[in-house]
């Protein structure tokens, strides 16, 4: 184990090992030793916040239709694990309060959280739930909309602005509006001029490939999100052990032709 930065966040938990955004997936991410978890929240019919990437239940459960049509009682009957494998039959849609209650590991007493908001109207409720259940947690509220990032900031939350492209204009906006963190994919960061000075945390998003993980661990990023947590942990440890090395990823597998 090597400590961060960069902190490593399991994207929707460990979606290659367990059904994404379920308690099983989040718990596995913590058990592996990750610094935190990154997940999506949406409101169900009763208004409470649950973990779900899509607006509908079709892809990641045995139910169909929009989440907004299901109240808490109906969601209790939804199986969110059987689609992934028989080992997870009976997994339910996870509630935000369940995610916030997770215990920590060697990386910290409690995991860090990145919560992506898809529905701006849920921000006030998210702020209340974090006040009630997450006052001692490190939480960043992720959004691709500048207006939502500003609203989150004004509610006392820590915004993480998600960028499709990291531009000089974004850099100025972040500095002027005191946005705490920004996130972009590796290709977006590479396209940005090195002269840009970001007065905030920098997240590298959805980093899975070995070469990109190696580059992300060598560069001054504060954190990265990944669906390959074991590979990310091993890469961070490798960089910690060989800080002056600039070689390629040490394991090169030949192409497998099927």
């Amino acid at each position: 184990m090597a400590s961060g930065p960069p902190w490593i966040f399991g994207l929707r938990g460990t979606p290659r090992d367990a059904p994404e955004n379920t308690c099983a997936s989040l718990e596995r991410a913590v058990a592996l030793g990750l610094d935190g978890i990154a997940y999506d929240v949406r409101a169900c019919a009763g208004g409470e916040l649950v973990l779900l990437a899509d607006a509908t239940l079709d892809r990641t459960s045995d139910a169909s239709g929009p989440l907004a049509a299901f109240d808490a009682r109906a969601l209790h009957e939804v199986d969110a694990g059987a689609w992934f494998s028989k080992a997870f039959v009976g997994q339910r849609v996870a509630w935000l309060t369940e995610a916030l209650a997770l215990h920590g590991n060697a990386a910290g007493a409690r995991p860090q959280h990145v919560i992506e908001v898809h529905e701006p109207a849920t921000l006030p409720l998210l702020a209340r739930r974090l006040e009630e259940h997450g006052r001692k947690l490190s939480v960043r509220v992720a959004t691709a909309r500048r207006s939502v990032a500003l609203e989150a900031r004004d509610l006392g939350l820590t915004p993480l602005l998600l960028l499709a492209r990291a531009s000089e204009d974004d850099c100025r906006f972040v500095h002027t509006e005191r946005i705490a963190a920004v996130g972009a994919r590796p290709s977006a960061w590479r396209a940005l001029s090195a002269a840009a000075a970001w007065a905030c945390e920098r997240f590298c998003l959805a980093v899975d490939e070995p070469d990109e993980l190696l580059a992300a661990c060598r560069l001054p990023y504060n954190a990265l999100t990944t669906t390959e947590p074991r590979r990310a942990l091993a890469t961070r440890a490798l960089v910690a052990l060989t800080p002056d090395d600039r070689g390629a990823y040490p394991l090169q597998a030949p192409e497998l032709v099927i």
Side-chain angles (χ1 to χ4, degrees):
M1 293 295 293
S3 61
W7 300 303
I8 299 174
F9 287 75
L11 186 56
R12 300 174 184 170
T14 52
R16 298 182 189 274
D17 292 349
E20 66 177 54
N21 279 339
T22 61
C23 288
S25 189
L26 302 181
E27 289 166 358
R28 284 181 181 233
V30 176
L32 284 173
L34 301 190
D35 302 278
I37 45 179
Y39 51 89
D40 318 75
V41 294
R42 296 179 184 272
C44 67
E48 279 302 322
L49 299 176
V50 300
L51 277 59
L52 194 69
D54 307 333
T56 69
L57 292 161
D58 299 60
R59 182 176 65 87
T60 55
S61 80
D62 63 350
S64 62
L67 172 66
F70 288 73
D71 59 16
R73 184 173 181 176
L75 282 175
H76 184 71
E77 302 301 321
V78 172
D79 190 315
W83 69 273
F84 187 85
S85 83
K86 293 180 179 179
F88 295 98
V89 170
Q91 276 290 310
R92 304 301 175 195
V93 175
W95 301 91
L96 173 63
T97 51
E98 292 178 308
L100 296 177
L102 286 170
H103 295 292
N105 51 32
R110 303 287 290 277
Q112 300 183 57
H113 295 252
V114 167
I115 304 175
E116 184 169 356
V117 173
H118 296 276
E119 302 158 337
T122 62
L123 270 180
L125 176 58
L126 175 59
R128 291 198 298 273
R129 291 294 175 263
L130 290 175
E131 177 67 21
E132 295 164 354
H133 303 282
R135 296 184 64 181
K136 296 183 179 181
L137 300 179
S138 173
V139 179
R140 296 158 188 84
V141 176
T143 176
R145 304 184 193 180
R146 287 185 176 186
S147 59
V148 178
L150 294 176
E151 185 180 352
R153 179 204 63 189
D154 294 342
L155 285 169
L157 305 174
T158 303
L160 166 58
L161 182 61
L162 306 177
L163 306 173
R165 296 183 302 159
S167 68
E168 301 285 353
D169 179 62
D170 292 317
C171 187
R172 286 190 292 271
F173 172 79
V174 166
H175 177 75
T176 302
E177 299 296 343
R178 298 174 288 108
I179 301 300
V182 293
R185 290 178 177 267
S187 57
W189 284 124
R190 286 195 297 268
L192 182 66
S193 168
W198 295 83
C200 64
E201 292 181 336
R202 292 202 304 159
F203 279 63
C204 202
L205 306 177
V207 192
D208 293 336
E209 294 302 315
D211 291 342
E212 291 188 339
L213 280 168
L214 188 59
C217 288
R218 286 172 173 168
L219 291 172
Y221 294 116
N222 298 93
L224 60 88
T225 66
T226 183
T227 63
E228 292 282 2
R230 295 176 182 84
R231 181 183 291 169
L233 288 168
T235 304
R236 185 174 69 180
L238 175 66
V239 171
L241 288 168
T242 58
D244 298 323
D245 182 78
R246 291 297 178 268
Y249 196 79
L251 300 178
Q252 301 294 328
E255 181 179 1
L256 176 61
V257 179
I258 299 178

